[in-house]
Amino acid sequence: MCTGKCADFIGKALIPLAVLSILANILLFFPDGKVEFASEGNLTPQVWFFHGIVGAGLLMFIPALLNTRLDEKGCCGNRCGMLFSVLFNAVGIVGAGYCFIVSITGMVDGPYCNVGNGSWVSPFKNDTISTQYLNLTGNYLFDQDVWGNCVEPNNIVLWNIVLFSMLICFSGAQVVLCATQIINGLIGVLCGTCMKNEVV
């Protein structure tokens, strides 16, 4: 088994995940397909953290592109490249972890929305302000009856749940892939990039 080929596979898997993370984060800026909510600052606070664009997106291209270059020479790749791969994939884990944590927080706190009379709040957030607007006994994620309390943007609760869920899945997969490459890279550093026995 060649560690370079494994690195190449992981790198190619990280690229579409990074692109999808960027797209999901961009869509969070346009609930109901409208620009006005972003221009007026009426978005869920976590959207402004750019967690999918930067953390699981642009930052992820560094380890992804490096990983794909490790197999350019097949079994002749070098240990130094694998060492850099370990370091850059550690950075990838930090970026994906950042996206994962922010997305979880966005899901737990719920969307920022208009609950009527021009009042913009996070009605599902567990704090004293939100309790003025809802008598929520359980988690809003499992109680669709309370979703209607968000008057504007239209279907904002479902919009946030779907997109934050996607970002959680994408960043979680990135963490697993980067961690796998760190192990693979350490094997490449210690044993060389190809573990296939050469015929003399």
Side-chain angles (χ1 to χ4, degrees):
M1 174 187 154
C2 189
T3 55
K5 291 187 184 301
C6 181
D8 181 55
F9 172 80
I10 291 172
K12 288 176 179 174
L14 286 172
I15 292 171
L17 289 172
V19 172
L20 289 171
S21 296
I22 292 170
L23 291 175
N25 197 161
I26 289 172
L27 287 174
L28 281 168
F29 281 95
F30 306 104
D32 202 19
K34 296 178 181 176
V35 182
E36 63 189 72
F37 303 111
S39 62
E40 295 169 1
N42 293 324
L43 293 175
T44 304
Q46 287 80 8
V47 176
W48 297 104
F49 284 52
F50 300 99
H51 55 294
I53 295 173
V54 177
L58 298 176
L59 196 60
M60 195 56 59
F61 282 112
I62 299 170
L65 295 175
L66 175 66
N67 291 346
T68 58
R69 293 181 57 87
L70 291 174
D71 191 44
E72 282 188 351
K73 298 180 181 178
C75 291
C76 299
N78 59 55
R79 289 181 169 151
C80 183
M82 280 295 181
L83 179 60
F84 278 116
S85 172
V86 169
L87 298 174
F88 286 125
N89 277 276
V91 173
I93 287 178
V94 172
Y98 167 68
C99 179
F100 188 85
I101 291 168
V102 173
S103 297
I104 289 281
T105 306
M107 284 275 281
V108 171
D109 288 352
Y112 183 75
C113 62
N114 183 354
V115 292
N117 299 321
S119 299
W120 287 84
V121 294
S122 297
F124 308 115
K125 190 174 180 179
N126 188 19
D127 59 19
T128 54
I129 297 174
S130 63
T131 54
Q132 298 174 19
Y133 301 95
L134 287 179
N135 289 319
L136 191 62
T137 54
N139 191 316
Y140 81 95
L141 293 169
F142 306 106
D143 188 359
Q144 294 187 25
D145 293 334
V146 300
W147 293 6
N149 286 281
C150 280
V151 179
E152 194 180 23
N154 189 33
N155 294 320
I156 184 61
V157 179
L158 184 61
W159 183 264
N160 273 22
I161 289 173
V162 170
L163 292 173
F164 277 124
S165 296
M166 290 171 64
L167 285 166
I168 289 168
C169 292
F170 297 153
S171 58
Q174 288 173 335
V175 168
V176 171
L177 288 169
C178 286
T180 303
Q181 177 52 29
I182 287 175
I183 296 169
N184 180 56
L186 289 173
I187 293 171
V189 170
L190 297 173
C191 305
T193 54
C194 188
M195 297 169 66
K196 183 172 69 175
N197 293 327
E198 294 183 4
V199 179
V200 179

